[in-house]
Amino acid sequence: MDSAIRSVRGFRIWDSRGRPTVEVEVTLASGIVGRGIAPAGASRGSHEAVDLRDGGEAHGGWGVDHAVSHVDGEIAAALQGRDASDQADCDRILVGLDPTPTKARLGGNSIVATSMAVLDAAARQAGVPTWRHLAAGRSVRMPLPQVQIFGGGAHAGRRTDIQDFLVMPLGAATFDEALVMCADVYRVAGQRMRRRGRLYGVADEGGWWPAFDSNEEALSELAAAIDEAGYRHGEVMICLDIAASEFGRDGRYRLALGEHDFGRDDWIELLIRWIDRYPIVSVEDPVAEDDEAGMKAFTRAVAGRVQVIGDDFLVTSAARVDHAVGIGCCNAVLIKPNQAGTISEAAAALARARDAQWGTIVSARSGETEDVSIMHLALGWDAGQLKVGSFARSERMAKWNEGLRIERGAFPPGAFAGAGALPVGRRPWSGPG
Ligand code: 2PG
Ligand code: MG
């Protein structure tokens, strides 16, 4: 069998922060080689698969030698001879090797890089791009992008409490046009920072460094940049990733900027005030991962007009999505394969969300590489939405550019998910409420 796995090897390479990460090469009986690289998060949910790091002095403790040796040892031995085109079987074996809830024994990094390498090898063996291999004949749509304009929170030394200030080009008709619109806003936002003497370079994912006096100032700057770029609100809308687990605990939200301390209800009220005042169409992790009551209240208050995404709250877990659907929390899920640990587990979380008619957004991590597989996953799974970070730095641009290559080669205009990917009616923006 050509697609039988002959060997699996792990290597240490480097990510966009200059930290070690795990690369895996899977070689098939045919001689074809597939590759996978583990990304790494900075703002992480406490229930997600964990990266195995060596600790100690070398590489500031970020080393992955143990994770790499698990790939060369136990993982390689278990996968040898298995059929790479049977992703579910390979992933079942990986999960079976480390049944700990957060894959802490072998490391989420060694496991996800292997799972991704199996997928890449199988697609190469089939002679098709990964997205086509995943689509398996079903029709799919180019995803609607979410592009970060300002990067804060854990990605900018907590310069703002809110982590991602992003835009979504709802008025675009193609992926290409969507990127043009985001690029315009990104450029103009940078020009505005320069004019105000506030341009200090970029944060972790390429968004402008958020040199603002308040979280709301960032929001109003973003709305002004959309205006100045010549777009109507409604055409380009704002998305926020609050990443509230970073500053919220036990129903209290303590902002560093402005030094406010909110109870759950006041915090949610503030978010709703922002939604009324600014053209916000999507909010991720509005409350902390432990605040189910807050998530339920927020979802109830804004569902129908705003996409409510669970990231740290759902950690790409089908079981958590299932639970959230049952109790009315969120209407969309962020899908990060390395939160789950394997491609199949991530696909299962996405499938559960789709069953509930939720929005589904495939997402990169803040620590990335030249690997472009999330573009293929977003498309091949027909997720409808893709979040990659900002519109600068090649670990981000590699993914956007891969999308352009795919679109021009394989897609007629119209095969773009666009605003229809949102689990909300298109909200006509009628100005500040
Ligand atoms: C997130 C991601 C990407 P990180 O919170 O959604 O912005 O960040 O990879 O650091 O978890
Ligand atoms: Mg997030």
Side-chain angles (χ1 to χ4, degrees):
M1 180 179 51
D2 279 351
S3 56
I5 294 175
R6 191 162 77 199
S7 66
V8 181
R9 293 194 61 196
F11 304 91
R12 179 188 67 221
I13 63 164
W14 303 90
D15 74 9
S16 54
R17 300 192 179 102
R19 287 180 189 158
T21 191
V22 179
E23 174 168 272
V24 171
E25 283 182 4
V26 166
T27 304
L28 306 184
S30 61
I32 277 175
V33 179
R35 179 171 294 130
I37 307 175
S43 69
R44 305 166 45 85
S46 56
H47 302 287
E48 62 179 85
V50 295
D51 295 336
L52 185 62
R53 301 286 184 180
D54 297 333
E57 294 286 298
H59 312 307
W62 296 100
V64 293
D65 291 355
H66 288 100
V68 166
S69 68
H70 287 318
V71 174
D72 290 340
E74 274 184 63
I75 290 176
L79 286 182
Q80 211 169 27
R82 311 304 296 212
D83 181 1
S85 64
D86 189 346
Q87 184 80 35
D89 179 58
C90 294
D91 286 342
R92 221 175 0 251
I93 289 169
L94 289 169
V95 172
L97 286 176
D98 186 350
T100 63
T102 56
K103 299 188 168 57
R105 193 177 76 78
L106 294 178
N109 44 359
S110 57
I111 291 173
V112 80
T114 305
S115 183
M116 290 163 73
V118 167
L119 174 64
D120 187 44
R124 287 175 193 278
Q125 182 64 44
V128 292
T130 302
W131 70 266
R132 214 184 264 286
H133 177 66
L134 287 167
R138 290 182 292 269
S139 70
V140 295
R141 301 156 303 160
M142 288 297 292
L144 174 68
Q146 263 188 41
V147 172
Q148 186 197 65
I149 305 299
F150 303 121
H155 303 157
R158 305 188 194 283
R159 185 64 186 74
T160 54
D161 300 282
I162 294 173
Q163 179 182 288
D164 295 345
F165 298 85
L166 313 104
V167 289
M168 204 180 239
L170 294 191
T174 64
F175 186 74
D176 178 41
E177 194 185 342
L179 293 186
V180 170
M181 293 164 80
C182 295
D184 285 343
V185 176
Y186 182 70
R187 188 182 62 254
V188 168
Q191 286 163 353
R192 292 177 62 89
M193 297 296 268
R194 185 190 307 276
R195 282 206 302 267
R196 302 171 65 213
R198 298 276 188 99
L199 188 65
Y200 300 120
V202 299
D204 230 359
E205 298 189 9
W208 301 115
W209 186 264
F212 298 111
D213 298 326
S214 69
N215 292 291
E216 188 168 355
E217 190 194 347
L219 204 41
S220 72
E221 252 310 296
L222 181 50
I226 293 171
D227 283 338
E228 194 181 320
Y231 295 109
R232 280 174 292 115
H233 296 162
E235 214 174 4
V236 176
M237 297 282 279
I238 293 175
C239 313
L240 298 176
D241 181 1
I242 309 286
S245 304
E246 296 286 314
F247 56 87
R249 187 142 298 120
D250 301 327
R252 290 217 76 81
Y253 294 87
R254 297 187 174 84
L255 302 188
L257 204 55
E259 289 172 5
H260 292 299
D261 185 348
F262 294 88
R264 169 187 298 129
D265 294 346
D266 292 341
W267 172 242
I268 290 174
E269 211 179 287
L270 174 68
L271 293 179
I272 293 172
R273 217 161 38 237
W274 285 347
I275 289 168
D276 290 338
R277 199 172 298 164
Y278 301 97
I280 297 171
V281 72
S282 177
V283 182
E284 180 177 329
D285 284 345
V287 295
E289 61 182 4
D290 65 358
D291 193 355
E292 209 168 86
M295 190 62 104
K296 209 184 289 184
F298 182 77
T299 305
R300 198 177 314 121
V302 303
R305 59 178 176 142
V306 174
Q307 171 169 262
V308 183
I309 307 173
D311 170 15
D312 297 348
F313 193 80
L314 298 170
V315 292
T316 314
S317 152
R320 281 177 190 275
V321 172
D322 191 55
H323 175 70
V325 169
I327 61 172
C329 284
C330 309
N331 59 22
V333 62
L334 207 70
I335 299 291
K336 295 166 163 172
N338 82 324
Q339 277 184 331
T342 61
I343 293 292
S344 300
E345 288 164 288
L350 184 135
R352 180 63 191 97
R354 175 173 293 149
D355 274 354
Q357 297 178 332
W358 276 21
T360 55
I361 307 100
V362 172
S363 172
R365 301 308 303 249
S366 47
E368 273 291 334
T369 65
E370 68 276 19
D371 181 275
V372 295
S373 49
I374 57 157
M375 178 69 230
H376 288 263
L377 296 176
L379 181 53
W381 285 338
D382 196 29
Q385 299 178 60
L386 175 64
K387 180 186 180 200
V388 163
S390 194
F391 213 68
R393 305 186 17 155
S394 290
E395 81 277 5
R396 312 290 148 189
M397 304 319 292
K399 281 106 168 142
W400 301 129
N401 289 340
E402 179 77 353
L404 291 176
R405 256 172 240 123
I406 294 170
E407 182 175 65
R408 74 173 178 243
F411 279 82
F416 174 61
L422 292 168
V424 294
R426 187 160 172 181
R427 174 188 170 209
W429 172 250
S430 50

